[in-house]
């Protein structure tokens, strides 16, 4: 991957990380996880693991602006790294793999971080998954054009 594409991905991660903190993307109380959807979409491009890890670390720092260790953000980062490897081994077409990963890792995240949230707020969880699916598909499509997949 050439330097210009790396700069575009880093810039996108930074912008999405900053947008993540704004309330403008809330729809009926559902807020998407922009970095989650973006980084899972990036898994399907010709990107090496070290650079992907750098993007995850940048995202972690942007989600934790106070620089404290935060268990939910740490869990999300680990799941994103797992998602990178799963994206490489799943047998289906890339877009179906992306859809499956967004659903699976979203559910696993909430089961680890707050099982009670899954029970009490299943409609919000479904809304967030749908929101992340739409955004992930958009990021994937934009990336396909950028990387000419």
């Amino acid at each position: 991957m050439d330097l210009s594409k790396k700069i575009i991905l880093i810039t996108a991660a930074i912008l999405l990380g900053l947008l993540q903190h704004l309330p403008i993307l809330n729809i009926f109380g559902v807020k998407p996880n922009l970095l989650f959807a973006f980084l899972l979409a990036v898994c399907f491009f010709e990107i090496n693991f070290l650079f992907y890890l750098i993007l995850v670390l940048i995202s972690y720092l942007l989600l934790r602006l106070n620089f404290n260790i935060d268990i939910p953000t740490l869990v999300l980062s680990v799941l994103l790294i797992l998602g990178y490897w799963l994206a490489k081994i799943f047998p289906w077409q890339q877009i179906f793999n992306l859809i499956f990963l967004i659903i699976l890792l979203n559910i696993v995240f909430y089961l680890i971080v707050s099982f009670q949230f899954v029970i009490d707020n299943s409609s919000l969880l479904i809304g967030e998954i749908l929101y992340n699916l739409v955004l992930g598909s958009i990021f994937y499509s934009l990336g396909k054009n950028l990387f000419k997949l």
Side-chain angles (χ1 to χ4, degrees):
M1 176 187 314
D2 62 9
L3 183 61
S4 63
K5 291 178 182 172
K6 287 181 180 180
I7 290 171
I8 290 170
L9 290 174
I10 290 171
T11 304
I14 291 169
L15 290 174
L16 291 171
L18 295 174
L19 274 174
Q20 186 72 41
H21 295 286
L22 300 176
I24 60 172
L25 297 174
N26 285 355
I27 297 178
F28 301 113
V30 176
K31 186 174 182 182
N33 192 329
L34 296 169
L35 289 169
F36 175 78
F38 173 72
L39 289 172
L40 283 179
V42 168
C43 290
F44 295 96
F45 308 145
E46 294 300 320
I47 182 172
N48 67 40
F49 179 71
L50 182 60
F51 182 68
Y52 184 77
L53 187 60
I54 290 168
L55 288 174
V56 170
L57 291 174
I58 289 170
S59 300
Y60 179 85
L61 292 174
L62 287 168
L63 290 173
R64 299 304 318 152
L65 293 176
N66 59 6
F67 300 108
N68 292 334
I69 294 177
D70 178 57
I71 298 301
T73 309
L74 190 60
V75 168
L76 184 66
S77 299
V78 170
L79 289 175
L80 286 169
I81 292 168
L82 175 65
Y84 176 88
W85 295 110
L86 291 175
K88 304 301 180 204
I89 62 171
F90 280 164
W92 309 295
Q93 290 181 359
Q94 288 182 341
I95 191 67
F96 295 120
N97 290 341
L98 175 63
I99 290 167
F100 182 74
L101 279 175
I102 288 173
I103 294 168
L104 175 69
L105 296 182
N106 235 310
I107 292 169
V108 169
F109 172 76
Y110 281 109
L111 288 175
I112 292 171
V113 172
S114 178
F115 183 76
Q116 195 63 40
F117 178 83
V118 176
I119 294 169
D120 295 340
N121 301 298
S122 58
S123 61
L124 284 177
L125 176 61
I126 292 168
E128 182 177 334
I129 290 171
L130 292 173
Y131 208 163
N132 287 337
L133 284 170
V134 169
L135 291 171
S137 299
I138 291 169
F139 295 141
Y140 177 79
S141 296
L142 291 172
K144 272 184 76 165
N145 292 331
L146 176 66
F147 289 92
K148 306 290 186 232
L149 296 176

